[in-house]
Amino acid sequence: MKLIRYTLYLLPFFFICCQPKDQKKEEQTSRIEKSPEEIPDAIMQSILELEPHYNEMTNLQKAVFGVTLAEQIINNNFIYLYQEYMEKNPVTYLDFSIQYFRQNKETRKNVYCYLAKGMLYKEKRQYKEAIENLLEATELNKHLTDNNLSAVLYFQLGSLAGFQNENEKALEYFLKAVELYKQEGNTEGEAKVYTSLSWTYTSLERDKEALASSRKALELTDDPIRKGDALLDIGNSYFFMQEFDSALYYTKQSLEYPYISTTQAARYNKLANVYAYKKEFDSAYHYAKIALTYPIDIYFESACYSLLSTIAAERGDKNEMIFYINNLHAVQDSITKIERQPNIQILEQIRLSDKKTLQVTAQRSYLLYAIFFVILISSLIVIRLYRNHQQKKKEVRIYKTELEQKEEVIDSQQEELSKRYELLLLNLADELKRTKDKYAVQRAKGNFEQRQQIDRIVYDEVLHLQDEKAFITKMNHILNALPDKLKEKFPEITYKEIVFCCLLMLKLSSNEIAFILEYKQTSLYKFKQRLIKKLGFATSKEFEQLLHDKVNY
């Protein structure tokens, strides 16, 4: 009786999965406005109720269960709930379905399963596995003619490329996805892609195109959650265009819309950043703290801790600054592990190489079978090739072991350098505070110009800005010989430019740096852009990454 009951449970899912393509209709899954406390989807509820009886199902029922699970993962926004509520890893069920449908040559269902696996791995930030499964789904999907499915695959691949800072590759995938959605008249799909395109254009410093993409997403979508995300993206574009009032307006607008997963934290994080750039640090502090109360993406978490530690240092609250710096280090360690994963371009090349290798191997096998009884020497060649292959595999294993050992040594050295760097920064912060305290009474009695003069005296006493040799010596000690490394790599760099680089790595605020160098904020930004161009960097991120590497290696 139990088996009959479970069969009846699965029967609707079986018919759904076995319908012809032209009979299927895309359904929009209802979404939730807050982080869910209950299972938000009826089919998801059914899947969770059936899971405990999985072992009692027939192979066909298990396969249908897996592909139904795959379709739900693809079509709704509750991937993280499957990972949280299911008794077993959802990948286990998808793998069984893949094996079953491979034997039955049901390609479309396997595309669903590989796509769902890729999305699950992406959610857990296991990018290598995510990319491999999505590329497998893309390869299988070449035999089908489903533009919507192809668009979903390109969107997922574009998202992964964006996570790994392969922004040109992400742009390529997103443009393919949006074109396919246009062909199908799928406006919600278009809106979803335009939202991601906005972030990609922002990463490529193409701010006007980013803004246009966000506005396009807002125009196309009827989904209130996506409307909120589009408004956040518009605010983000204005932020990077330094139109902070507009950025503030649209970011606040986004908070009025429902959200899922980590999107609300992203909105508050952006709001905090806007207020920080407007020099309203109390508001920036307030909203950064709020962002941390929501489920938050690890990169936004890092940004919040960085902002909070800077504000704490500005306030002179040493304990709070150390607390946030420690949290920042813990998050950055996790980010470093994520970013060490192979990127999408490498895995694509490996896959292409493997495909070509398989083709060559197959051709060689046919040739050997054809001439086996004619030329005995062919067998000797095969044996020789096999031995060479085994030798190469052995060499690869040895090389991989040596590489892992070297990485462990480098990681250990980098950790020691990072600890020393942070300790020296704390010492410098203490020195600045003591020097400020020394002049506190005199500064309190002075007028504005006198206070500014005293502030310059404080920075000069601590940093020796007027004595180039003393400044260079001190910065070499604190920043792991950064000035010497910069002069060696860029002989044309000036002392003022070296000072700017050092102040940046001392984690001083942009206001402090502008004051020390006697620049306005806008002038400081232009100075930085000229320096980036002079040193041959394409983006600010590349420039700051070089400084980080010079200090930490």
Side-chain angles (χ1 to χ4, degrees):
M1 288 298 292
K2 282 188 176 181
L3 283 174
I4 292 172
R5 181 186 174 200
Y6 304 147
T7 303
L8 290 173
Y9 266 127
L10 275 172
L11 199 56
F13 303 152
F14 176 80
F15 285 127
I16 290 170
C17 296
C18 295
Q19 284 176 0
K21 176 189 166 187
D22 59 350
Q23 292 181 13
K24 291 191 177 180
K25 294 183 179 179
E26 185 173 343
E27 296 181 354
Q28 291 187 341
T29 306
S30 60
R31 303 189 186 187
I32 50 172
E33 291 191 2
K34 306 293 178 186
S35 297
E37 296 179 356
E38 299 180 331
I39 307 302
D41 182 90
I43 298 181
M44 181 181 177
Q45 181 71 54
S46 299
I47 288 171
L48 295 178
E49 289 175 356
L50 284 168
E51 187 194 12
H53 311 295
Y54 181 83
N55 291 332
E56 302 172 37
M57 298 178 190
T58 66
N59 286 345
L60 174 60
Q61 290 170 339
K62 289 178 179 178
V64 173
F65 178 90
V67 80
T68 304
L69 171 62
E71 289 184 334
Q72 286 303 296
I73 289 170
I74 294 165
N75 291 330
N76 68 35
N77 292 286
F78 310 117
I79 297 173
Y80 59 99
L81 290 181
Y82 286 104
Q83 295 171 334
E84 179 179 350
Y85 287 113
M86 295 195 84
E87 295 176 0
K88 291 184 180 179
N89 188 339
V91 170
T92 305
Y93 305 121
L94 297 174
D95 282 337
F96 181 90
S97 296
I98 287 170
Q99 294 298 323
Y100 183 91
F101 291 126
R102 182 182 293 148
Q103 293 173 5
N104 290 275
K105 297 182 179 179
E106 297 188 60
T107 304
R108 181 180 297 277
K109 294 184 177 67
N110 266 350
V111 172
Y112 291 152
C113 292
Y114 278 116
L115 171 55
K117 278 182 67 178
M119 293 172 68
L120 287 166
Y121 282 124
K122 187 183 79 168
E123 182 75 9
K124 295 191 290 185
R125 296 194 184 278
Q126 294 176 233
Y127 294 151
K128 178 177 181 293
E129 293 80 2
I131 293 166
E132 287 173 345
N133 280 281
L134 290 174
L135 289 175
E136 182 65 25
T138 304
E139 184 68 22
L140 291 172
N141 194 50
K142 289 178 181 178
H143 306 292
L144 307 175
T145 55
D146 187 335
N147 284 346
N148 276 309
L149 187 55
S150 297
V152 173
L153 285 164
Y154 285 131
F155 174 78
Q156 293 296 330
L157 287 166
S159 299
L160 280 165
F163 290 159
Q164 297 186 314
N165 294 319
E166 296 287 338
N167 294 308
E168 292 291 349
K169 193 68 179 176
L171 183 61
E172 176 186 335
Y173 280 126
F174 286 142
L175 291 176
K176 288 180 180 179
V178 81
E179 185 59 33
L180 290 168
Y181 278 134
K182 281 181 181 178
Q183 291 176 22
E184 294 300 307
N186 187 337
T187 55
E188 282 300 330
E190 276 189 74
K192 177 176 66 174
V193 181
Y194 275 120
T195 301
S196 295
L197 265 174
S198 174
W199 284 91
T200 304
Y201 281 130
T202 297
S203 300
L204 293 169
E205 298 186 348
R206 294 161 62 174
D207 297 323
K208 290 183 179 179
E209 289 164 282
L211 181 58
S213 295
S214 302
R215 291 194 180 281
K216 187 69 174 176
L218 188 61
E219 172 190 337
L220 289 170
T221 187
D222 292 321
D223 184 334
I225 296 175
R226 193 159 288 131
K227 281 184 180 292
D229 293 343
L231 287 166
L232 172 63
D233 293 344
I234 292 172
N236 189 57
S237 297
Y238 278 121
F239 175 82
F240 283 100
M241 295 165 73
Q242 297 191 43
E243 296 182 28
F244 298 122
D245 289 335
S246 295
L248 189 62
Y249 172 80
Y250 284 103
T251 305
K252 282 187 173 180
Q253 286 275 302
S254 72
L255 293 171
E256 302 299 321
Y257 287 79
Y259 63 91
I260 58 169
S261 188
T262 62
T263 55
Q264 192 73 342
R267 297 170 188 177
Y268 278 112
N269 171 68
K270 179 53 62 182
L271 195 59
N273 283 324
V274 175
Y275 275 118
Y277 272 82
K278 286 170 69 67
K279 302 177 186 177
E280 296 180 28
F281 297 113
D282 288 341
S283 295
Y285 183 88
H286 172 71
Y287 287 111
K289 293 273 285 185
I290 290 178
L292 291 170
T293 65
Y294 288 88
I296 188 166
D297 179 87
I298 194 169
Y299 288 93
F300 291 131
E301 187 179 11
S302 173
C304 285
Y305 285 135
S306 178
L307 178 59
L308 289 168
S309 64
T310 300
I311 295 173
E314 190 75 15
R315 292 174 171 177
D317 191 334
K318 181 179 176 182
N319 291 333
E320 191 170 76
M321 179 185 72
I322 292 172
F323 171 77
Y324 288 124
I325 286 175
N326 289 337
N327 283 318
L328 177 62
H329 284 190
V331 172
Q332 287 178 336
D333 286 344
S334 299
I335 290 174
T336 299
K337 292 176 183 176
I338 291 170
E339 293 179 343
R340 283 180 180 167
Q341 298 180 79
N343 67 36
I344 193 165
Q345 298 214 53
I346 291 174
L347 291 172
E348 272 191 325
Q349 290 168 2
I350 290 172
R351 186 175 184 83
L352 181 61
S353 175
D354 289 345
K355 186 177 178 181
K356 290 180 178 178
T357 301
L358 287 172
Q359 290 173 347
V360 170
T361 303
Q363 292 170 1
R364 183 180 297 163
S365 298
Y366 294 139
L367 180 61
L368 289 174
Y369 282 125
I371 64 173
F372 178 78
F373 293 104
V374 181
I375 306 174
L376 184 60
I377 193 67
S378 300
S379 300
L380 298 176
I381 293 173
V382 172
I383 293 170
R384 180 65 178 171
L385 288 172
Y386 175 76
R387 288 178 177 174
N388 287 343
H389 179 66
Q390 292 298 104
Q391 181 63 30
K392 287 186 181 295
K393 285 176 66 176
K394 182 178 179 182
E395 291 172 0
V396 167
R397 286 197 299 270
I398 293 171
Y399 174 76
K400 185 177 179 181
T401 301
E402 291 174 351
L403 190 62
E404 288 173 350
Q405 291 172 347
K406 288 179 182 178
E407 285 180 349
E408 288 177 2
V409 172
I410 291 171
D411 288 345
S412 176
Q413 292 173 345
Q414 185 180 355
E415 185 178 354
E416 291 178 6
L417 278 173
S418 296
K419 288 180 180 178
R420 177 182 177 275
Y421 171 46
E422 295 300 336
L423 180 61
L424 290 171
L425 286 184
L426 288 174
N427 291 340
L428 183 67
D430 285 339
E431 187 178 354
L432 273 169
K433 187 177 183 305
R434 290 196 304 272
T435 308
K436 286 179 180 178
D437 291 345
K438 184 173 72 173
Y439 290 98
V441 175
Q442 183 180 346
R443 189 179 186 281
K445 294 178 180 179
N447 58 31
F448 177 76
E449 291 182 357
Q450 290 170 335
R451 289 198 297 273
Q452 282 206 321
Q453 185 61 33
I454 290 170
D455 288 343
R456 294 194 187 284
I457 291 170
V458 168
Y459 283 117
D460 192 49
E461 279 191 22
V462 176
L463 300 175
H464 312 300
L465 294 161
Q466 303 304 319
D467 186 340
E468 180 176 345
K469 184 177 179 181
F471 177 80
I472 295 294
T473 300
K474 187 162 189 173
M475 293 302 102
N476 277 334
H477 173 66
I478 295 174
L479 300 176
N480 193 23
L482 176 62
D484 287 350
K485 291 175 181 177
L486 289 173
K487 286 193 285 187
E488 180 182 353
K489 186 172 181 63
F490 308 105
E492 72 279 12
I493 197 169
T494 66
Y495 172 61
K496 190 171 188 178
E497 290 165 343
I498 290 174
V499 170
F500 172 74
C501 294
C502 292
L503 296 179
L504 204 59
M505 294 313 294
L506 289 176
K507 299 185 178 179
L508 295 182
S509 69
S510 59
N511 288 337
E512 290 177 298
I513 296 173
F515 175 77
I516 292 169
L517 295 179
E518 299 183 13
Y519 278 135
K520 293 180 180 178
Q521 281 290 343
T522 54
S523 300
L524 181 65
Y525 174 79
K526 292 177 181 177
F527 173 81
K528 181 180 179 183
Q529 295 305 309
R530 288 196 299 273
L531 177 58
I532 290 170
K533 185 176 180 181
K534 175 180 176 180
L535 300 184
F537 294 102
T539 65
S540 175
K541 184 175 182 179
E542 290 179 6
F543 166 65
E544 291 175 6
Q545 184 62 49
L546 174 120
L547 296 181
H548 178 271
D549 292 344
K550 295 294 183 187
V551 171
N552 288 281
Y553 292 92

